[in-house]
Amino acid sequence: MLDRSTRPGVRRGTSHTAAWFQLVFATGAVALLVVGAWPRALVAALLVPAMFAPALLGRVVEQRLPTHLAVQLGCFIAAGPFAGAAFGLYSALPGWDKLVHADSGVLVVSAGLALLRGRSTRWPRLLLVQGCAMAIAAGWEIVEFTSDTLFGTQAQHGNTDTMTDIIAGTVGAAAALVAFAVAKRVRPPGLPV
């Protein structure tokens, strides 16, 4: 169970961060509704509850998660579903999709390392975090495929798009892990210290 002294900090940091992003998403939803783009307004409105994820995750794992994780999630959601899908940035900037997918790998690594905080960060655990990022990238593409098939959305644009999205998420995660390893001087087994 969480120590009572850490609970308010978890709520305050992630809740305040979430509230700012929720305000932006709700305002965007209203603006889209005003101009008659109700399907895109619905997308923006659905992002408001998504910002509760870091606080809920902290409660589930009974661990205080860093506020930067909520900031990173908010930026990821703002770049992807909000600016990219609801406000059309995916169409306006062709490379935007790959940047968002790369950032998803960074986000998964940040969450994984936050959950591992205080535990050993030896290479097998870091590789597990990388594997999780790759699995989530593949899972996301399965969701897009299912949505395209069942609801007629157009999230995927062929096999090349799907595979480069997965690769972008994988590379983003690997880059984040390398940066972490360099910063913490975590070395693979067999290399001199």
Side-chain angles (χ1 to χ4, degrees), residues 59-88:
R59 288 181 186 270
V60 168
V61 299
E62 297 183 338
Q63 180 177 332
R64 182 171 187 220
L65 297 177
T67 302
H68 75 79
L69 195 56
V71 171
Q72 194 169 7
L73 175 66
C75 290
F76 170 74
I77 291 173
F82 187 70
F87 281 91

Side-chain angles (χ1 to χ4, degrees), residues 21-33 37-52 77 81-82 86-87:
F21 281 105
Q22 288 168 326
L23 178 63
V24 170
F25 300 152
T27 303
V30 169
L32 289 166
L33 201 54
W38 71 266
R40 294 186 296 150
L42 179 61
V43 169
L46 289 173
L47 300 176
V48 173
M51 285 307 303
F52 290 116
I77 291 173
F82 187 70
F87 281 91

Side-chain angles (χ1 to χ4, degrees), residues 7 11 15 25 35 48 53 55 60 104 108 117 156 175-176 178 186 188:
R7 281 188 181 176
R11 285 191 207 124
S15 293
F25 300 152
V35 298
V48 173
V60 168
S104 73
V108 172
R117 188 178 56 205
Q156 293 185 327
V178 167
V186 177

Side-chain angles (χ1 to χ4, degrees), residues 157-171:
H157 305 285
N159 187 51
T160 301
D161 174 62
T162 299
M163 294 310 297
T164 54
D165 286 351
I166 293 171
I167 291 167
T170 300
V171 169

